[in-house]
Amino acid sequence: MPMLHTVNKSPFERGALESCIRLAIKGSSVLLIEDGVYGASRGTAASNMVENAMKDLDFYVLGSDLKARGVDENRLIDGITVIDYSGFVKLAVENDKVQAWL
Amino acid sequence: MKFGIQINEGPYTHEASTTALNFVSAAIEAGHEIFRVFFYHDGVNNGTRYTTPPQDDRNLVNAWSELAEKYNIDLVVCVAAAQRRGIIDKGEQERNGKDGNNIAPGFRISGLGQLIEAGIQSDRLVVFGD
């Protein structure tokens, strides 16, 4: 039963991403949106946690929210997929449930 | 596919209302149905027509009203959350003896049962907010 998890808060502000990674079942997808996109950056205090989780979880990031924050796509952790809103809708359809980590 | 949407955040708090609006637009564009958008907690602040941002700023209340009219979307504001925050329609105005109302076009005030129904009737319930 695949599930889409959305995280909309920065990992440097709240523990939402950490909780999500700890509790998401193997094979789930995690979509970083709004301030959550900072979790997709390479070489930060949170990037090790995300890189380790990528063994079990697929990571996506909303491109327009990256752009709004001036985070260049070249600075992302390898293997994170950049998507747009139609990709967000597609993920919501492909997964059985959508869980927001707020 | 049928989507239910829950919004827990006001239009100018962080970004949730904008994200939800973009998601709803993209879902409609992809041919999906929006069963209902339920505004809960501070999200009820998306439903007052007295919102008057500067002219060069986005007006999310109007954006929701226009989207609702264009695609016939059911925008429901939680009554208990709305009363606490002064979001009032004609019926609530009369019931509570207030001197006016401020509900924006396309929005209606109702109870939490509408959220439960959206959760049951929709294929996916997607939550935005704090």
Side-chain angles (χ1 to χ4, degrees):
Chain A
M1 201 182 74
M3 195 187 270
L4 172 64
H5 300 266
T6 64
V7 177
N8 75 339
K9 291 290 180 283
S10 163
F12 313 112
E13 181 196 351
R14 289 199 208 178
L17 180 59
E18 193 189 346
S19 301
C20 169
I21 286 172
R22 183 159 43 87
L23 294 166
I25 293 168
K26 191 175 175 169
S28 301
S29 295
V30 179
L31 170 60
L32 305 171
I33 61 171
E34 303 174 13
D35 281 349
V37 301
Y38 290 119
S41 294
R42 196 171 57 222
T44 73
S47 53
N48 265 349
M49 173 180 73
V50 174
E51 281 159 358
N52 288 333
M54 288 172 77
K55 289 194 292 283
D56 295 328
L57 308 169
D58 292 325
F59 279 82
Y60 300 85
V61 61
L62 198 58
S64 54
D65 285 348
L66 280 176
K67 206 172 172 193
R69 287 160 181 79
V71 179
D72 197 290
E73 289 186 21
N74 294 324
R75 289 209 48 212
L76 301 186
I77 296 165
D78 283 341
I80 296 185
T81 309
V82 180
I83 62 168
D84 60 9
Y85 274 97
S86 70
F88 186 175
V89 171
K90 219 170 143 208
L91 280 176
V93 170
E94 286 168 356
N95 288 275
D96 293 330
K97 286 188 168 58
V98 184
Q99 171 65 45
W101 295 81
L102 307 170
Chain B
M1 185 169 270
K2 263 189 227 173
F3 281 102
I5 306 291
Q6 180 185 333
I7 300 174
N8 296 337
E9 196 181 275
Y12 301 102
T13 312
H14 294 113
E15 203 182 341
S17 184
T18 305
T19 306
L21 191 77
N22 289 337
F23 182 88
V24 166
S25 302
I28 291 168
E29 208 164 292
H32 299 295
E33 182 192 332
I34 305 299
F35 178 78
R36 178 170 295 144
V37 181
F38 190 85
F39 295 87
Y40 200 18
H41 306 295
D42 278 348
V44 301
N45 290 312
N46 287 286
T48 164
R49 67 173 186 272
Y50 286 173
T51 297
T52 316
Q55 279 190 345
D56 59 350
D57 193 356
R58 67 209 198 289
N59 189 323
L60 281 164
V61 176
N62 288 353
W64 278 114
S65 290
E66 284 159 16
L67 199 73
E69 196 190 351
K70 192 168 173 192
Y71 297 107
N72 198 23
I73 302 172
D74 189 19
L75 305 180
V76 176
V77 174
C78 170
V79 60
Q83 285 188 328
R84 289 187 176 96
R85 292 164 180 83
I87 311 296
I88 282 175
D89 64 5
K90 196 93 198 306
E92 292 302 315
Q93 176 193 341
E94 282 161 11
R95 198 167 8 259
N96 294 293
K98 299 292 182 182
D99 58 3
N101 66 76
N102 59 351
I103 192 93
F107 288 80
R108 64 186 180 94
I109 293 178
S110 190
L112 208 47
Q114 302 281 307
L115 173 62
I116 305 302
E117 191 194 27
I120 293 168
Q121 296 294 331
S122 304
D123 299 299
R124 304 281 184 275
L125 180 68
V126 188
V127 182
F128 297 91
D130 267 340

